Amino acid sequence: QMQLVESGGGVVQPGRSLRLSCAASGFTFISYGMHWVRQAPGKGLEWVALISYDGRNIYYADSVKGRFTISRDNPRDTLYLQMNSLRAEDTAVYYCVRSGGSGSSTNWFDPWGQGILVTVSS
Amino acid sequence: DIQMTQSPSSLSASVGDRVTITCRASQGVSSWLAWYQQKPEKAPKSLIYAASRLQNGVPSRFSGSGSGTDFTLTISSLQPEDFGTYYCQQYNSYPLTFGGGTKVEIK
């Protein structure tokens, strides 16, 4: 059974940093692109970042570019999101998500992790 | 960026009703369009990808259609467990973008 489990969330002051982790299991991690998607309280879904299966191709939403870094450790089946210079508007549930397929044009999202809350507040 | 606009933003329907949700892209996305269902306090769940392909395990009462800029998600016979918020998402180009969501309530 495919599973994605996020960790590392919590409350952090504005301007500080936090690193999220996502442990993957139940599928061949190295074969898939991986994403972070977030959802602010009471709001819709916002794609944050994508890393290709081999880590060579990375894309970010403009709202996080230059502040967040997505990375992966394929031998450990783990995805990361390093979040620096955090702002109040980064407060959200962050979901670790797999690309739906392993080829080209496969950037739909399945499966999803359970999500982890990041709160940026003084 | 490609803007995705869903309508309606909310709807209330009875069990057994046929429900249609539309999603319009600000520019063409070919068939690179997915639909998700999210229940309160839960992670979204994939329903449809490539505009019309049903994700494994999703009931056949769900269907998707469209290409280019106009897409539709249809629930042929609404069931009590179909409440929640539905989102469309384009994956034709970066940044990947979602519609604003359609909240479905059961009368």
Side-chain angles (χ1 to χ4, degrees):
Chain A
Q1 180 179 352
M2 297 182 293
Q3 194 170 15
L4 298 167
V5 179
E6 302 95 340
S7 60
V11 181
V12 61
Q13 293 179 330
R16 303 298 291 266
S17 299
L18 203 62
R19 188 177 84 156
L20 303 182
S21 300
C22 170
S25 60
F27 63 96
T28 305
F29 184 71
I30 197 172
S31 295
Y32 290 87
M34 294 295 297
H35 307 254
W36 290 97
V37 174
R38 69 184 181 182
Q39 187 169 35
K43 302 297 184 182
L45 300 167
E46 179 188 19
W47 171 79
V48 172
L50 157 68
I51 185 167
S52 62
Y53 69 100
D54 58 0
R56 292 184 179 183
N57 296 295
I58 289 174
Y59 301 88
Y60 295 100
D62 285 347
S63 57
V64 307
K65 200 173 295 183
R67 300 187 299 122
F68 289 13
T69 302
I70 189 171
S71 62
R72 64 191 295 160
D73 185 338
N74 283 342
R76 289 188 166 87
D77 291 349
T78 303
L79 176 72
Y80 301 101
L81 185 68
Q82 177 66 43
M83 303 184 292
N84 297 334
S85 303
L86 282 160
R87 307 167 179 166
E89 54 265 37
D90 295 318
T91 294
V93 173
Y94 285 74
Y95 294 101
C96 168
V97 197
R98 195 195 75 174
S99 285
S102 57
S104 61
S105 300
T106 57
N107 286 324
W108 78 90
F109 307 124
D110 181 72
W112 295 64
Q114 84 281 0
I116 194 156
L117 179 62
V118 172
T119 302
V120 184
S121 173
S122 54
Chain B
D1 297 5
I2 298 176
Q3 310 302 318
M4 307 300 292
T5 303
Q6 287 183 234
S7 61
S9 56
S10 65
L11 66 91
S12 181
S14 300
V15 172
D17 283 354
R18 183 181 183 88
V19 169
T20 299
I21 299 169
T22 63
C23 177
R24 175 163 289 175
S26 61
Q27 54 188 276
V29 299
S30 186
S31 293
W32 307 128
L33 191 285
W35 290 96
Y36 305 90
Q37 176 196 62
Q38 185 178 32
K39 297 192 176 181
E41 309 306 318
K42 296 291 187 182
K45 170 189 169 185
S46 173
L47 297 176
I48 286 169
Y49 64 99
S52 61
R53 296 192 174 190
L54 209 61
Q55 192 70 34
N56 288 343
V58 173
S60 58
R61 63 180 179 274
F62 291 92
S63 64
S65 64
S67 66
T69 61
D70 294 310
F71 300 87
T72 299
L73 173 70
T74 299
I75 308 173
S76 60
S77 177
L78 192 68
Q79 298 302 301
E81 62 268 29
D82 297 336
F83 73 93
T85 302
Y86 292 79
Y87 294 93
C88 62
Q89 176 238 332
Q90 67 81 19
Y91 52 101
N92 180 75
S93 63
Y94 301 107
L96 309 178
T97 48
F98 290 90
T102 296
K103 186 174 183 178
V104 174
E105 296 179 329
I106 310 295
K107 280 183 185 176

